[in-house]
Amino acid sequence: MLYDTLIRNALVIDGRDTPGYCADVAIHGGRIERIGELHGALAITEIDAAGRVLAPGFIDVHTHDDTVVIRQPQMLPKLSQGVTTVIVGNCGISASPVSLRGDPPDPMNLLGTAQAFAYPRFADYRRAVETATPAVNVAALVGHTALRSNHMDDLLRTASVGEIAAMRRQLHESLEDGALGLSTGLAYANAFCASTDEVMQLTEELAAFGAVYTTHLRSEFEPVLEAMDEAFQIGRRAQSPVIISHLKCAGAGNWGRSPQVLAALENAAKTHPVGCDCYPYAASSSTLDLKQVTDAHRITITWSTPYPHMGGRDLMDIAAEWHVSLLEAARRLQPAGAVYYGMDESDVRRILAHPLSMVGSDGLPEDPFPHPRLWGAFPRVLGHFSRDIGLFPLHTAVHKMTGLSAARFGLKDRGEIREGHWADLVLFNPQTVRDVADFNEPQRPAEGIDGVWVNGALSYCDGQANGLREGRFLAREGDLRRGFSPTKGV
């Protein structure tokens, strides 16, 4: 057989949390055809990967790329760091199903202006992704806040019986059309007033599909354990796996509590399928929330509608320039976005290293001055945390970004280097791979990423995207509960 691509002499780290091995990998028809010593094999393209690691393409399980995969399908911030699949629709906000009556409510405005929300049904969004053919694969959750905005005239209350019924019908239809599950963002004002019962009634739709429940907790600050209890209660009622989004101990008064938080996660995992994702930074980023304005840590403005020139400046400096309090400055800047330096590094490391945690960037592609995680999250795990800090072996770092993620979200034939699997692959230099994006210059591609294949097509090579876009929409396949084990890794 003449293969399409033959990658020779690679250190294959296959995504299963086991040490790497040296092998050749042959690609044909978009899939991995053979792995081993392929001395006599021939291919249209051959690559000598000596000194390089070949890993499954990274799966970004927590993104807000919902609309950008259609409007900017080259997806350079993700492709350049080795990401081959993005999961959208997180934190209760999704591009579909959405029918706006005005401007998108906060935090749906993180996905763009009203013009970006053109998908009243999940099937419409799926078709739009398939038409756009982005450079990466896309799988999607349905956002709770998106459903609320479709059916409620006032988001600052819990939903009525009729509104819940309407939301359930729309969620059911979306699940039929391939949605992964439901996400919530209960910390945000436009979902905070939703009762636990409202969410429980919606998640009752998940069990029949084996779909997942992901949640930006009602609080990541002092009441974080109570918020986790609520999430697990909802998951048990729904008979649905629970994934806690960007698990953290936010706020200076919460620092050092990661052992408690992780103990709660482990305890829940003994009897129910649960997991979490996290990003490898001690700073978060979202819309500018007046409840989070504090002088206990630094806050940087990333965008502001009334004062766009303030993007990239610290809130404290803006307040001093205006001779007003931090809170008043924040009020004037709204609507706006911010980076909050509100976590402790030891908590970040402890959560990142935990066996139940996956890696997600939580990057915000619409930000004019984004958090550097948009461009650097995955190489930061490989370079800074694995190689430089020694937080975990390289094969564990890869597993957290590939095999574990594919199992959790039921991404069939992805996340591992196996014969027959789709050839989503990344080739990198383990000695030099690193994130270059930082809080001063956040839009810089990583170093050490030599090649990225998406469905067998080399789409990024030697620091450049080549224009090939072979990404696909990945509909939910099978029962996602099968990707969890009650005590896996604990």
Side-chain angles (χ1 to χ4, degrees):
M1 173 185 285
L2 180 66
Y3 299 113
D4 297 328
T5 304
L6 184 56
I7 304 169
R8 294 192 180 276
N9 307 313
L11 176 60
V12 175
I13 297 182
D14 63 13
R16 288 183 280 187
D17 202 13
T18 54
Y21 57 91
C22 292
D24 307 328
V25 176
I27 301 169
H28 185 73
R31 292 183 181 262
I32 298 167
E33 186 75 21
R34 285 188 65 194
I35 303 169
E37 295 183 4
L38 309 178
H39 296 306
L42 298 175
I44 297 169
T45 302
E46 290 199 19
I47 295 169
D48 184 359
R52 301 294 191 266
V53 168
L54 186 68
F58 305 136
I59 298 167
D60 192 343
V61 298
H62 192 104
T63 84
H64 297 287
D65 294 332
D66 304 51
T67 61
V68 77
V69 294
I70 296 167
R71 293 182 290 110
Q72 298 174 31
Q74 64 275 17
M75 293 298 292
L76 188 60
K78 297 301 169 68
L79 196 63
S80 64
Q81 56 181 309
V83 171
T84 57
T85 298
V86 298
I87 293 176
V88 304
N90 287 282
C91 295
I93 58 178
S94 58
S96 72
V98 173
S99 300
L100 294 177
R101 293 181 288 273
D103 290 332
D106 183 279
M108 288 174 62
N109 51 9
L110 290 173
L111 303 183
T113 62
Q115 289 71 32
F117 294 86
Y119 318 105
R121 298 183 309 146
F122 189 86
D124 299 326
Y125 178 74
R126 178 175 176 172
R127 277 193 296 272
V129 171
E130 290 169 344
T131 300
T133 58
V136 298
N137 302 309
V138 180
L141 297 153
V142 170
H144 172 228
T145 301
L147 295 174
R148 297 187 103 229
S149 73
N150 293 341
H151 300 287
M152 298 176 65
D153 56 2
D154 177 11
L155 300 181
L156 302 181
R157 60 173 174 81
T158 198
S160 68
V161 172
E163 289 162 344
I164 291 173
M167 287 191 277
R168 286 185 67 157
R169 286 192 294 272
Q170 203 161 36
L171 175 59
H172 185 96
E173 181 184 68
S174 300
L175 292 167
E176 286 185 322
D177 287 329
L180 294 172
L182 178 73
S183 78
T184 57
L186 299 176
Y188 292 104
N190 283 320
F192 186 78
C193 293
S195 66
T196 303
D197 185 65
E198 174 186 322
V199 182
M200 280 184 169
Q201 290 190 57
L202 290 178
T203 57
E204 286 176 359
E205 296 293 335
L206 302 177
F209 294 92
V212 70
Y213 174 61
T214 76
T215 180
H216 177 151
L217 295 169
R218 202 176 287 272
S219 177
E220 297 173 326
F221 292 81
E222 280 76 4
V224 63
L225 294 177
E226 292 84 352
M228 291 175 73
D229 285 342
E230 179 189 36
F232 300 144
Q233 182 185 3
I234 291 167
R236 287 191 292 268
R237 167 81 170 268
Q239 300 177 0
S240 170
V242 176
I243 294 174
I244 295 177
S245 298
H246 40 61
L247 184 61
K248 64 173 73 75
C249 298
N254 220 21
W255 292 352
R257 294 185 67 200
S258 53
Q260 291 175 270
V261 166
L262 291 170
L265 188 72
E266 290 176 11
N267 189 55
K270 293 174 183 176
T271 57
H272 192 77
V274 304
C276 70
D277 65 62
C278 61
Y279 46 81
Y281 299 85
S284 61
S285 182
S286 188
T287 52
L288 179 58
D289 180 4
L290 298 183
K291 293 185 295 183
Q292 294 191 51
V293 172
T294 178
D295 60 2
H297 55 74
R298 181 182 171 199
I299 299 173
T300 302
I301 302 303
T302 58
W303 60 272
S304 167
T305 298
Y307 297 96
H309 58 288
M310 292 300 182
R313 294 191 59 188
D314 283 2
L315 179 62
M316 189 171 289
D317 294 339
I318 297 169
E321 182 177 305
W322 288 350
H323 303 289
V324 298
S325 68
L326 289 176
L327 193 59
E328 177 57 29
R331 284 197 184 99
R332 292 186 188 182
L333 289 163
Q334 286 189 314
V339 168
Y340 305 89
Y341 296 81
M343 288 176 273
D344 180 72
E345 180 70 18
S346 63
D347 287 323
V348 173
R349 293 185 185 185
R350 198 172 285 117
I351 293 169
L352 181 63
H354 195 274
L356 288 173
S357 69
M358 303 173 284
V359 176
S361 73
D362 198 16
L364 300 175
E366 294 297 318
D367 270 13
F369 192 83
H371 190 301
R373 64 194 181 187
L374 179 67
W375 288 80
F378 292 83
R380 182 169 178 80
V381 173
L382 299 171
H384 176 68
F385 283 104
S386 178
R387 181 189 62 228
D388 300 340
I389 301 299
L391 189 62
F392 32 56
L394 185 58
H395 59 81
T396 298
V398 169
H399 175 64
K400 286 177 167 291
M401 307 191 295
T402 59
L404 181 61
S405 309
R408 291 289 189 256
F409 286 96
L411 305 180
K412 185 180 178 184
D413 295 343
R414 299 182 193 272
E416 294 183 3
I417 297 180
R418 289 186 186 232
E419 291 182 358
H421 276 220
W422 289 102
D424 292 343
L425 301 167
V426 56
L427 187 69
F428 65 88
N429 186 329
Q431 303 303 318
T432 64
V433 65
R434 72 182 186 100
D435 57 312
V436 180
D438 59 27
F439 289 98
N440 295 315
E441 295 183 71
Q443 295 174 294
R444 300 169 70 190
E447 292 180 354
I449 303 293
D450 295 326
V452 183
W453 288 260
V454 181
N455 295 309
L458 180 61
S459 304
Y460 186 86
C461 184
D462 297 327
Q464 298 290 327
N466 59 19
L468 288 181
R469 304 205 312 263
E470 293 294 332
R472 300 174 184 179
F473 186 89
L474 306 181
R476 188 196 67 262
E477 290 192 64
D479 190 328
L480 303 194
R481 288 169 290 206
R482 295 173 185 159
F484 291 76
S485 175
T487 56
K488 179 177 173 60
V490 177

Coordinates of all heavy atoms in Angstrom, one line a residue, residues 3 14 16 21 24-26 31-38 413 416-422:
Y3 N 0.9 4.7 1.4 CA 0.3 5.5 2.4 C 0.3 7.0 2.0 O 1.1 7.5 1.2 CB 1.0 5.4 3.7 CG 1.0 4.0 4.3 CD1 2.2 3.3 4.4 CD2 -0.2 3.4 4.7 CE1 2.2 2.0 4.9 CE2 -0.2 2.1 5.2 CZ 1.0 1.4 5.3 OH 1.0 0.1 5.7
D14 N 0.8 7.9 23.3 CA -0.4 7.6 22.6 C -1.7 8.1 23.2 O -2.8 7.8 22.7 CB -0.5 6.1 22.3 CG -0.5 5.2 23.6 OD1 -0.8 5.8 24.6 OD2 -0.4 4.0 23.4
R16 N -2.7 7.3 26.4 CA -3.3 6.4 27.4 C -2.6 6.5 28.7 O -2.8 5.6 29.6 CB -3.2 4.9 26.8 CG -4.2 4.7 25.7 CD -4.2 3.2 25.3 NE -3.0 3.0 24.4 CZ -2.8 1.8 23.7 NH1 -3.7 0.8 23.9 NH2 -1.8 1.7 22.9
Y21 N 6.9 5.2 23.2 CA 7.6 4.2 22.6 C 8.0 4.7 21.2 O 7.3 5.5 20.6 CB 6.9 2.9 22.5 CG 5.5 3.0 21.8 CD1 5.5 2.8 20.4 CD2 4.4 3.3 22.5 CE1 4.3 2.9 19.7 CE2 3.2 3.4 21.8 CZ 3.1 3.2 20.4 OH 1.9 3.3 19.8
D24 N 7.1 4.1 13.9 CA 6.6 4.8 12.7 C 5.1 4.7 12.7 O 4.5 3.8 13.1 CB 7.1 4.1 11.4 CG 8.6 3.9 11.4 OD1 9.3 4.7 12.0 OD2 9.1 2.8 10.8
V25 N 4.5 5.8 12.1 CA 3.0 5.9 12.1 C 2.6 6.2 10.6 O 3.1 7.2 10.1 CB 2.5 6.9 13.1 CG1 1.0 7.1 12.9 CG2 2.8 6.5 14.5
A26 N 1.8 5.4 10.1 CA 1.3 5.6 8.7 C -0.1 6.0 8.7 O -1.0 5.5 9.4 CB 1.5 4.3 7.9
R31 N -7.1 8.3 8.4 CA -7.0 7.5 9.6 C -5.6 7.0 9.8 O -4.8 7.0 8.9 CB -8.0 6.4 9.6 CG -9.5 6.8 9.8 CD -10.4 5.6 9.8 NE -11.8 6.0 9.9 CZ -12.5 6.1 11.0 NH1 -11.9 5.8 12.2 NH2 -13.8 6.4 11.0
I32 N -5.3 6.6 11.0 CA -4.0 5.9 11.3 C -4.1 4.5 10.8 O -4.9 3.7 11.3 CB -3.7 5.9 12.8 CG1 -3.6 7.4 13.3 CG2 -2.5 5.2 13.2 CD1 -3.6 7.6 14.8
E33 N -3.3 4.1 9.9 CA -3.4 2.8 9.2 C -2.5 1.8 9.9 O -3.0 0.7 10.2 CB -3.0 2.9 7.7 CG -3.2 1.7 6.9 CD -4.7 1.4 6.6 OE1 -5.5 2.3 6.7 OE2 -5.0 0.2 6.3
R34 N -1.3 2.2 10.2 CA -0.4 1.2 10.8 C 0.6 1.9 11.8 O 0.9 3.1 11.6 CB 0.5 0.5 9.8 CG -0.3 -0.6 9.0 CD 0.6 -1.4 8.2 NE 1.6 -2.2 9.0 CZ 2.7 -2.8 8.5 NH1 3.0 -2.7 7.2 NH2 3.5 -3.5 9.3
I35 N 1.0 1.2 12.9 CA 1.9 1.7 13.8 C 3.0 0.6 14.0 O 2.6 -0.6 14.3 CB 1.3 2.0 15.2 CG1 0.1 3.1 15.0 CG2 2.3 2.6 16.2 CD1 -0.7 3.2 16.2
G36 N 4.3 0.9 14.0 CA 5.3 -0.1 14.2 C 6.6 0.3 13.5 O 6.8 1.4 13.1
E37 N 7.4 -0.8 13.2 CA 8.6 -0.6 12.4 C 8.2 -0.8 10.9 O 8.1 -2.0 10.5 CB 9.7 -1.6 12.9 CG 10.1 -1.3 14.3 CD 11.3 -2.2 14.7 OE1 11.7 -3.0 13.9 OE2 11.7 -2.1 15.9
L38 N 8.1 0.2 10.2 CA 7.5 0.1 8.8 C 8.7 0.4 7.8 O 8.6 1.3 7.0 CB 6.4 1.1 8.6 CG 5.3 1.0 9.7 CD1 4.2 2.1 9.5 CD2 4.7 -0.4 9.7
D413 N -13.0 7.1 18.4 CA -11.8 7.0 17.5 C -11.0 8.2 17.5 O -10.3 8.5 16.5 CB -12.2 6.6 16.1 CG -12.9 5.3 16.0 OD1 -12.8 4.5 16.9 OD2 -13.6 5.0 14.9
E416 N -6.5 9.0 21.1 CA -5.4 8.1 21.2 C -4.8 7.7 19.9 O -5.5 7.8 18.8 CB -5.9 6.8 21.9 CG -6.4 6.9 23.3 CD -6.8 5.6 23.9 OE1 -6.7 4.6 23.2 OE2 -7.3 5.6 25.1
I417 N -3.5 7.4 19.9 CA -2.9 7.0 18.6 C -3.0 5.4 18.6 O -2.3 4.7 19.3 CB -1.4 7.4 18.6 CG1 -1.3 8.9 18.6 CG2 -0.7 6.8 17.4 CD1 0.1 9.4 18.6
R418 N -4.0 5.0 17.8 CA -4.3 3.6 17.6 C -4.6 3.3 16.2 O -5.1 4.2 15.5 CB -5.5 3.2 18.4 CG -5.4 3.1 19.9 CD -6.6 2.6 20.5 NE -6.6 2.6 22.0 CZ -6.9 1.6 22.8 NH1 -7.1 0.4 22.2 NH2 -6.9 1.7 24.1
E419 N -4.3 2.2 15.7 CA -4.7 1.8 14.3 C -6.2 1.9 14.2 O -6.9 1.4 15.0 CB -4.2 0.4 14.0 CG -2.6 0.4 13.9 CD -2.1 -1.0 13.5 OE1 -2.9 -1.9 13.3 OE2 -0.8 -1.1 13.4
G420 N -6.6 2.6 13.1 CA -8.1 2.7 12.9 C -8.6 4.0 13.4 O -9.7 4.5 13.0
H421 N -7.9 4.7 14.3 CA -8.4 6.0 14.8 C -8.2 7.1 13.8 O -7.3 7.0 12.9 CB -7.7 6.3 16.1 CG -8.3 5.7 17.3 ND1 -8.5 6.4 18.5 CD2 -8.9 4.5 17.5 CE1 -9.1 5.6 19.4 NE2 -9.3 4.4 18.8
W422 N -8.9 8.1 13.9 CA -8.7 9.3 13.0 C -7.3 9.9 13.3 O -6.9 9.9 14.5 CB -9.8 10.4 13.3 CG -11.1 9.9 12.7 CD1 -12.2 9.5 13.4 CD2 -11.5 9.9 11.4 NE1 -13.2 9.2 12.6 CE2 -12.9 9.5 11.3 CE3 -10.9 10.3 10.2 CZ2 -13.5 9.3 10.1 CZ3 -11.6 10.2 9.0 CH2 -12.9 9.7 8.9

